[in-house]
Amino acid sequence: MLTKVIEQAKIDHFTKWFERADKIVIVSHVSPDGDAIGSSLGLYHFLDSQEKNVNVIVPNAFPDFLRWMPGSKDVLLYDRYKDFADKLIAEADIICCLDFNALKRIEDMADAVVASPARKVLIDHHLYPEDFCKITMSYPTISSTSELIFRLICRMGYFSDISKEGAECIYTGMMTDTGGFTYNSNNCEIYFIISELLSKGIDKDDIYRKVYNTYSESRLRLMGYVLSNMVVYSDCNAALISLTKEEQGRFDYIKGDSEGFVNIPLSIKNVCFSCFLREDTEKPMIKISLRSVGTFPCNQVAAEFFNGGGHLNASGGEFFGTMEEAKAVFEKALEKYKPLLIAKN
Ligand code: 5GP
Ligand code: MN
């Protein structure tokens, strides 16, 4: 049995909308990850089984290792089909906002979503949700939005209508947002849910291989290169890796190739804080990824130094300036947080 995480009144409210709706649009965040696509498609397969007219729209492309997911070919990319997407958003009865807490996370889509007369629901697990939806289902203690989608469908009374395809998508999101169940994954109910998803016929071992073990040769060589240039700040229990545009070009970089790199330095004994700086190929900025283990709040560093945010152990932000300047800012952050970083070990 599962704890009732989502309040009954919110389930009832959403169910009422759902029963009357025909056109439903699901939106998720920029540079969609496994949980963004997993939760969106998990909900998509369920709504589709209920004869709803459903569309998933995300701001831009998602990595190749998610393209096997059932329904992924129908995900609409806003940066390529803006006019069509705008029409769907404007005409929707319901817009489901999944896996983001602030309108800026859907970038150029935000205006269309705000302007739409559709009923809006937020289903998310990031801290501090903005108040832009009529129903806000925000549960930061839950490790993935995909898990929330499973909980929502079950609470609405439709467990039996979850298909194998839908279960595969939900499992993928739960798996990727916990690093293959290696962090944020001590809640025993996660494993009850996995058991229920297995009963739908999913092959979890195959899903793991499809997500984590189907990279290109050049991606692995890039990983070796990035690690060979890693800087370890032993006195702060921290590490830094980086990747410039020029270096990405040298290794035939494609979107998603550096996925997971930021976690690798955490496998060094005593390192509890890792930073990955990557020069963006589209915008003139450096994308920051931060990870920590234990109680070190890397989201605080993201907010304070990189205009970002996120979770306690996984956060990110943006930096407008050169790589050298970004590194200097990171080192300033280390200086400030050194006492806390040392206290952790
Ligand atoms: P990643 O390192 O995988 O890009 O991001 C990890 C987490 O950090 C995301 O799930 C999200 O919560 C948060 N995050 C990443 N980039 C940003 C950003 O630019 N702004 C904010 N507020 N949060 C971010
Ligand atoms: Mn998520």
Side-chain angles (χ1 to χ4, degrees):
M1 269 300 287
L2 292 175
T3 313
K4 290 186 171 180
V5 170
I6 307 172
E7 299 88 331
Q8 191 59 44
K10 292 183 181 177
I11 300 279
D12 294 342
H13 197 166
F14 181 71
T15 304
K16 222 178 264 172
W17 289 4
F18 159 79
E19 283 166 355
R20 293 184 200 143
D22 170 37
K23 297 176 192 156
I24 303 180
V25 163
I26 298 166
V27 300
S28 194
H29 61 78
V30 66
S31 299
D33 57 10
D35 190 32
I37 300 297
S39 59
S40 296
L41 289 176
L43 183 59
Y44 164 87
H45 285 291
F46 163 63
L47 294 171
D48 186 57
S49 76
Q50 305 305 304
E51 313 287 317
K52 304 293 181 189
N53 182 341
V54 203
N55 283 282
V56 177
I57 311 173
V58 292
N60 59 357
F62 50 89
D64 276 351
F65 62 80
L66 299 175
R67 276 181 220 282
W68 62 272
M69 290 172 74
S72 72
K73 285 176 190 60
D74 297 322
V75 173
L76 203 61
L77 305 183
Y78 192 78
D79 62 358
R80 281 201 222 159
Y81 302 100
K82 180 179 184 309
D83 293 345
F84 182 49
D86 277 339
K87 187 167 147 54
L88 290 172
I89 292 169
E91 292 176 356
D93 299 316
I94 302 178
I95 298 176
C96 303
C97 299
L98 268 49
D99 200 39
F100 64 96
N101 59 351
L103 280 166
K104 74 165 194 183
R105 299 276 296 147
I106 54 170
E107 298 199 338
D108 294 345
M109 287 167 64
D111 289 346
V113 168
V114 170
S116 172
R119 298 185 157 99
K120 291 160 209 163
V121 58
L122 177 77
I123 307 170
D124 181 44
H125 68 135
H126 294 91
L127 290 165
Y128 318 121
E130 277 178 6
D131 188 18
F132 62 95
C133 291
K134 180 98 175 161
I135 305 176
T136 298
M137 300 185 190
S138 168
Y139 306 96
T141 61
I142 299 298
S143 58
S144 65
T145 300
S146 297
E147 176 180 337
L148 288 169
I149 293 299
F150 179 87
R151 289 175 179 275
L152 172 66
I153 297 170
C154 290
R155 291 282 297 288
M156 289 170 73
Y158 289 96
F159 171 75
S160 58
D161 287 350
I162 296 179
S163 62
K164 179 183 171 192
E165 289 73 23
E168 287 174 335
C169 297
I170 291 170
Y171 182 80
T172 302
M174 291 176 66
M175 180 185 81
T176 53
D177 255 22
T178 55
F181 306 102
T182 62
Y183 49 78
N184 289 338
S185 52
N186 283 329
N187 181 343
C188 60
E189 296 193 354
I190 290 174
Y191 303 93
F192 177 81
I193 295 173
I194 294 174
S195 162
E196 295 289 71
L197 295 172
L198 287 167
S199 79
K200 298 287 181 178
I202 69 166
D203 182 339
K204 70 181 244 323
D205 305 341
D206 189 47
I207 291 175
Y208 186 94
R209 279 193 297 276
K210 282 184 194 152
V211 171
Y212 292 117
N213 294 338
T214 56
Y215 287 113
S216 63
E217 177 185 337
S218 57
R219 191 254 187 188
L220 209 62
R221 296 200 185 280
L222 175 70
M223 184 192 285
Y225 173 80
V226 165
L227 292 179
S228 68
N229 291 326
M230 171 177 62
V231 183
V232 177
Y233 303 86
S234 314
D235 57 329
C236 294
N237 298 322
L240 172 75
I241 53 176
S242 64
L243 196 52
T244 63
K245 245 197 290 204
E246 188 273 319
E247 291 166 331
Q248 292 171 48
R250 252 194 275 161
F251 287 87
D252 301 321
Y253 184 93
I254 56 165
K255 209 177 174 104
D257 268 357
S258 55
E259 189 75 29
F261 282 11
V262 63
N263 296 306
I264 304 174
L266 296 176
S267 64
I268 303 169
K269 191 172 178 183
N270 291 332
V271 169
C272 64
F273 182 37
S274 167
C275 174
F276 177 38
L277 306 174
R278 186 179 60 80
E279 211 176 346
D280 200 86
T281 46
E282 290 153 25
K283 287 184 280 178
M285 60 122 174
I286 312 257
K287 185 69 206 162
I288 319 290
S289 279
L290 301 173
R291 295 292 185 276
S292 65
V293 282
T295 54
F296 184 74
C298 72
N299 51 353
Q300 226 166 290
V301 178
E304 210 175 313
F305 290 87
F306 296 111
N307 190 31
H311 311 276
L312 186 79
N313 296 133
S315 65
E318 296 173 353
F319 181 80
F320 291 85
T322 65
M323 187 60 90
E324 290 315 310
E325 287 165 348
K327 283 182 185 169
V329 171
F330 176 69
E331 286 172 3
K332 233 170 76 189
L334 283 186
E335 217 171 284
K336 171 165 181 193
Y337 281 90
K338 190 171 178 177
L340 204 54
L341 284 162
I342 293 173
K344 295 302 130 204
N345 283 273

